Amino acid sequence: MRDAGPETGLHWRDWGQGPAEVLALHCGLGQGGMWKAVAQALEGRCHFRAPDLPGHGRSPSFPEGEDVHDAACAALRPHLTDGIHLAGHSFGATLALRLALEAPGRIASLLLIEPVFFAAAPDSALKRDHKSAEDALYADVDIGNLLEAARGFNRLWGGGVPWASFPEKVQRGMAAQMPFVRATEPALWQDRAGMLAPGGLEKLTFPVTLLRGADTVPVIAQVHRGLMARLPMASEMVVGGAAHMVLMSHPQAVTQALSEQLGALP
């Protein structure tokens, strides 16, 4: 593995020297090293790059006053190459989808792991209930109650790991990231970037795999359903025993999904 420092903008991790180019994007509150197990398993077949997104890990903070989705995509666009394979988890999956929509002719394949693109889910009681839970989290952020917001975030997305099991330092670190979570609402719930515009998803005529854990947050299956209804070459992989953090808990399944996409191409 090779690290590229902040003088290049984002902080990057690179693995492998294979012929395929892979750009992999981590979840919110994560960092690029979360892809290590997948990257090492495939390093003979690809050059695998994973940045720390803005405001995460060792990368600079988000630009003040700029939409976080816009800022992350702006930082990533210069690193797209022709024939690249995009992979993303959670928030990172929504970035990968947006980059693919902006430049579909440059993308070879797309792996979306539990994209938190709630706007894509069909309207349902389940979706409205999830929005209510997210709104409660947002309300805590808005009044400055960041620890309670982090507790709510963990309750929604933590896969059943008790909040009390985290050391106080980890709890404080999660709390400090809650304003970022709040700032994702326009992109993820309101589709501020227009990713659902008519005809857009239909133009992604390359292999797209949507991967989720069987035990994940229920709204994710609805997001997958909404996207798969419009993506011409989409397939879904469901990993038994996995929750939202399937990238970390079941890296072999993620490796299999990405390997199959690499192998499906000439």
Side-chain angles (χ1 to χ4, degrees):
M1 183 188 79
R2 301 172 296 281
D3 276 16
E7 69 276 1
T8 63
L10 299 179
H11 182 266
W12 291 83
R13 294 170 178 84
D14 288 59
W15 295 269
Q17 297 180 344
E21 288 288 333
V22 176
L23 173 60
L25 308 175
H26 64 77
C27 62
L29 281 65
Q31 44 88 16
M34 298 172 79
W35 290 94
K36 179 179 180 180
V38 176
Q40 289 183 333
L42 295 172
E43 62 183 359
R45 298 179 61 189
C46 62
H47 175 213
F48 197 109
R49 304 190 73 210
D52 292 345
L53 295 173
H56 293 74
R58 295 161 66 182
S59 285
S61 300
F62 282 102
E64 190 169 349
E66 190 170 342
D67 177 84
V68 292
H69 214 268
D70 290 351
C73 284
L76 294 165
R77 283 189 196 101
H79 301 279
L80 293 183
T81 57
D82 291 341
I84 198 167
H85 301 264
L86 295 180
H89 174 221
S90 192
F91 179 72
T94 72
L95 300 175
L97 179 60
R98 180 173 174 182
L99 293 170
L101 285 165
E102 292 176 351
R106 307 190 74 186
I107 311 304
S109 73
L110 186 59
L111 173 61
L112 304 177
I113 305 169
E114 302 233 350
V116 287
F117 187 26
F118 308 114
D123 184 48
S124 66
L126 187 153
K127 180 179 179 179
R128 292 190 294 271
D129 287 347
H130 188 88
K131 183 62 164 69
S132 295
E134 296 265 359
D135 284 343
L137 184 161
Y138 300 154
D140 281 326
V141 174
D142 291 344
I143 63 174
N145 194 350
L146 300 185
L147 267 176
E148 187 57 35
R151 189 191 306 272
F153 183 85
N154 181 68
R155 190 162 50 245
L156 277 175
W157 297 103
V161 178
W163 175 251
S165 70
F166 293 110
E168 183 180 351
K169 181 179 180 180
V170 174
Q171 293 182 356
R172 291 198 307 268
M174 290 177 64
Q177 287 281 50
M178 288 302 103
F180 157 75
V181 173
R182 176 68 176 96
T184 65
E185 195 265 350
L188 305 186
W189 283 99
Q190 301 175 26
D191 188 24
R192 180 181 178 277
M195 295 196 291
L196 295 176
L201 291 167
E202 290 78 6
K203 292 180 181 177
L204 302 189
T205 54
F206 43 75
V208 179
T209 300
L210 292 102
L211 185 150
R212 64 178 173 88
D215 302 329
T216 192
V217 181
V219 74
I220 291 295
Q222 298 302 305
V223 172
H224 282 203
R225 176 185 165 197
L227 291 173
M228 291 182 69
R230 295 183 54 189
L231 290 165
M233 296 185 64
S235 61
E236 185 179 47
M237 181 176 178
V238 180
V239 182
H244 184 62
M245 297 305 294
V246 59
L247 173 61
M248 301 302 294
S249 65
H250 292 70
Q252 300 91 341
V254 177
T255 300
Q256 177 187 341
L258 187 52
S259 177
E260 288 176 358
Q261 293 199 170
L262 294 174
L265 298 161

